[in-house]
Amino acid sequence: MNREATSPIWDCIVVGAGPAGLNAALVLGRARWRVVVLDDGSPRNYATHEMHGVLGHDGLDPAELRARGRAELTGYGVQVVTLEVQDAEVRNGAVHVTCPGRTELARTVLLATGMLDELPDIPGFADVWGTSAHTCPYCDGYEHRDERLAVLAAGDRGEHLAVLLRQWSADVVLLSNGPHHLTADQLARVQAVGVSVIELPVVGLDSDDGRLRCVRLGDGQTLDREALFFYVGWRLRSDVARTLGCELRADGSIAVDPNQATTVDRVYAAGNCSEPRALVPAAAGSGTTAAVAINARLCFEDADHAVTRTSLTTGSR
């Protein structure tokens, strides 16, 4: 039986228990608001075993960071519940959030569901994803320093990744998996830093125990490589933002203002769903920014309600 709440029982529902969502919930819990975190148990970085560039936690398993965050929240009365959010609607000054078998009401909602990386449809890719195939050079470039690297991307993204990765290795090859779509200036820049471009189709990846060994090309040739960095695209992990009517950017992320507020009243977004390029510290920081804005909103709403109650009481005398 579906249980429909009749009044807001939460001050904020946080959707997503990654760094952004957990950090926001921590700040709001410490501000003594009623907060629940709903998470479907599918983190963006499910294939990653170590995170890097996170001060004080360099090399930590992302799952361990999430576990620590959940444990910290219990001290402030914040609940973390494994539930998939199926629908949401802003109605009558509250956000109705629908999950299997229940509907919760909240004064505000923070979407922190992250983005999904589109993966190459290439035989053998699943064997190296998260071990020697990555999307972020800042997260994993150092671990593959001075190795033979491949970039699998085309156009602007291909140029961007190839030029960046030259900081970690002198041997970088750009695989465009077809026409590279580089402008003359982009091609000149890539070639000037010693990156060669191969337009042949990539038909497979060979590896040993998760470590890339070589890339198989469409003409039968193989290219010895030890790591692959790629970009295909991103997509939101949840359709809740679309359901709510939030404006999306061209890259599919949720448009937000400097306070992480979306274009829908009472709905905020933080982390990779609002900035796909954000590393863990930036994602967590955006959660804090959203929490501070939500706290201020709730405080001033309560103050305005108190003014109204005082006026009604005074006027009735």
Side-chain angles (χ1 to χ4, degrees), residues 26 98 100 103 129 142-143 211 218 258 268 287 310:
L26 179 63
T98 302
T103 296
W129 173 217
Y142 185 82
E143 284 60 47
R211 306 297 301 183
Y268 296 75
T310 301

Side-chain angles (χ1 to χ4, degrees), residues 46-67:
Y46 65 91
T48 303
H49 307 294
E50 294 182 357
M51 61 182 185
H52 298 283
V54 185
L55 187 63
H57 298 297
D58 192 60
L60 185 71
D61 188 330
E64 176 62 21
L65 180 69
R66 294 191 297 271

Side-chain angles (χ1 to χ4, degrees), residues 96-107:
H96 300 239
V97 177
T98 302
C99 304
R102 61 200 286 184
T103 296
E104 304 288 353
L105 267 66
R107 297 169 66 184

Side-chain angles (χ1 to χ4, degrees), residues 14 18-29 35 73 110 112 270 284 286-288 290-291 294:
V14 178
L22 293 176
N23 217 60
L26 179 63
V27 173
L28 289 168
V35 180
L73 292 180
L110 172 62
S286 70
T288 297
I294 291 169

Side-chain angles (χ1 to χ4, degrees), residues 16-217:
L22 293 176
N23 217 60
L26 179 63
V27 173
L28 289 168
R30 286 177 52 80
R32 308 183 72 181
W33 295 111
R34 299 162 299 173
V35 180
V36 64
V37 181
L38 305 179
D39 183 72
D40 66 2
S42 301
R44 177 188 186 182
N45 56 3
Y46 65 91
T48 303
H49 307 294
E50 294 182 357
M51 61 182 185
H52 298 283
V54 185
L55 187 63
H57 298 297
D58 192 60
L60 185 71
D61 188 330
E64 176 62 21
L65 180 69
R66 294 191 297 271
R68 292 181 187 180
R70 286 173 178 244
E72 289 172 353
L73 292 180
T74 60
Y76 300 103
V78 176
Q79 299 182 37
V80 181
V81 182
T82 303
L83 272 178
E84 180 184 1
V85 174
Q86 299 173 318
D87 198 3
E89 179 185 9
V90 179
R91 189 169 74 245
N92 300 326
V95 188
H96 300 239
V97 177
T98 302
C99 304
R102 61 200 286 184
T103 296
E104 304 288 353
L105 267 66
R107 297 169 66 184
T108 60
V109 163
L110 172 62
L111 303 177
T113 54
M115 301 284 275
L116 277 178
D117 295 295
E118 299 283 1
L119 304 181
D121 184 16
I122 296 173
F125 178 83
D127 297 328
V128 296
W129 173 217
T131 303
S132 53
H134 313 281
T135 59
C136 174
Y138 298 103
C139 302
D140 300 290
Y142 185 82
E143 284 60 47
H144 296 288
R145 62 195 182 279
D146 300 323
E147 293 183 357
R148 294 170 294 183
L149 306 181
V151 171
L152 182 62
D156 294 347
R157 281 284 165 184
E159 179 211 18
H160 187 76
L161 274 174
V163 171
L164 288 183
L165 283 165
R166 280 291 283 106
Q167 184 64 22
W168 285 277
S169 174
D171 189 349
V172 179
V173 174
L174 173 57
L175 305 171
S176 59
N177 201 21
H180 56 64
H181 300 299
L182 297 172
T183 66
D185 288 343
Q186 290 172 331
L187 182 59
R189 186 180 296 114
V190 166
Q191 292 175 335
V193 297
V195 174
S196 58
V197 181
I198 297 177
E199 294 184 312
L200 292 169
V202 176
V203 297
L205 303 176
D206 293 337
S207 62
D208 295 313
D209 296 324
R211 306 297 301 183
L212 180 64
R213 182 164 48 82
C214 70
V215 177
R216 287 186 280 115
L217 303 174

